[in-house]
Amino acid sequence: MNQNYEKYYVPAQSPWPIVGAVALFLIAVGAALTVMQVGSEGGSGHYILYGGIAILLYMLFSWFKNVIEESHQGLYSAQMDRSFRQGMSWFIFSEVMFFMAFFGALFYARMISVPWLGGAGNNAMTNEVLWPTFEAMWPLVTTPAGGTTQAMGWQGLPLINTLILLASSVTLHFAHVAMENNKRGPLKVFMALTIALGVVFLGLQVLEYMHAYQDLGLTLDAGVYGNTFFLLTGFHGMHVTLGTILLLVMLIRILKGHFSPDKHFAFQAAAWYWHFVDVVWLCLFVFVYVL
């Protein structure tokens, strides 16, 4: 009998999946309540939201700690490495489909619903009945209730954020090259630069949202344009936050002397995710801001 089988480590039962599910539930409920309670006094939605975020961060770092310990104990094999690669690939694919759904909603509104409401083709009667004063244009800055808003231009903060994310992909690539050549000094510098650029991106997006609410009247209830704008950019911001956390964990591990030129898939997986987030932003910049 051939005894040269690869070992496949099966971890013990873990509490982290259910803890993560609870955290995501609290985040969803807290975010919904926060939006509903905007302008009201004594709302508890933001407390639930922050509690969910705190639990999620605790879960992430605890689960990372367990996986790192298992790896350092030599419990993983080449088969496990292939499983990790396949799992990360499918995870990123699921994220692609997630954003495709929102881009699909944006394209449907722009290319089908707006012309339809404007009376394009044989829909003149629809226009007269549903919204006689409607003008088929995008961005749609007038709501059915008669409210108006302003579109967010691509210049200024959106353009700066695009350049920041592009620069972060470059610095992360240099960090990866340094990893493969076992140059720990440049690796630490470029990783720190990448994380700093991610934090700056998030800070500028907060400023952009403040500008949208205070100066442009662009809010979540500002019609389909406001809805799609905040859903796409907001979910992308959440992904940038997660990507920044992943890169921060990788930097901490690098500072502790983890990884080698031929064994650093955790770093590579975080880099895959970050580059994916950057590509999504480029699509957002073109389809949400420019066109």
Side-chain angles (χ1 to χ4, degrees), residues 27-239:
I27 290 173
V29 173
L33 290 176
T34 300
V35 172
M36 293 171 60
Q37 295 167 354
V38 170
S40 62
E41 302 248 347
S44 60
H46 59 285
Y47 294 114
I48 298 175
L49 174 62
Y50 296 151
I53 293 174
I55 295 173
L56 182 65
L57 291 175
Y58 174 73
M59 180 276 296
L60 287 173
F61 278 93
S62 298
W63 205 342
F64 289 156
K65 179 176 180 291
N66 290 159
V67 173
I68 292 168
E69 290 174 347
E70 292 167 355
S71 177
H72 277 252
Q73 291 170 12
L75 300 175
Y76 295 159
S77 63
Q79 176 68 21
M80 282 293 292
D81 185 65
R82 288 192 291 271
S83 296
F84 282 135
R85 292 176 182 274
Q86 291 172 3
M88 192 64 189
S89 299
W90 281 111
F91 171 67
I92 292 178
F93 177 76
S94 72
E95 294 287 88
V96 171
M97 293 297 102
F98 176 85
F99 279 102
M100 284 294 291
F102 289 106
F103 278 115
L106 174 65
F107 293 146
Y108 182 86
R110 292 183 59 170
M111 308 305 295
I112 298 178
S113 295
V114 169
W116 180 74
L117 285 172
N122 298 321
N123 296 308
M125 182 64 70
T126 301
N127 173 253
E128 290 296 326
V129 172
L130 293 180
W131 198 342
T133 60
F134 179 79
E135 295 182 21
M137 57 181 293
W138 192 268
L140 193 60
V141 294
T142 303
T143 67
T148 59
T149 183
Q150 298 181 55
M152 179 69 71
W154 62 269
Q155 304 96 330
L157 290 176
L159 179 59
I160 293 172
N161 264 346
T162 301
L163 296 176
I164 287 173
L165 276 192
L166 289 175
S168 72
S169 272
V170 174
T171 56
L172 184 57
H173 171 72
F174 286 146
H176 197 177
V177 172
M179 171 74 77
E180 292 176 335
N181 291 282
N182 201 28
K183 297 180 178 179
R184 309 293 291 192
L187 170 60
K188 297 172 185 177
V189 171
F190 284 120
M191 280 297 293
L193 281 175
T194 305
I195 294 169
L197 289 171
V199 172
V200 171
F201 174 91
L202 292 171
L204 291 180
Q205 190 166 38
V206 171
L207 292 178
E208 181 185 335
Y209 278 8
M210 293 172 61
H211 171 61
Y213 263 76
Q214 296 173 1
D215 303 325
L216 302 182
L218 180 58
T219 62
L220 274 171
D221 59 356
V224 66
Y225 172 66
N227 292 163
T228 54
F229 174 83
F230 283 106
L231 280 173
L232 280 163
T233 59
F235 275 119
H236 178 267
M238 290 175 59
H239 285 74

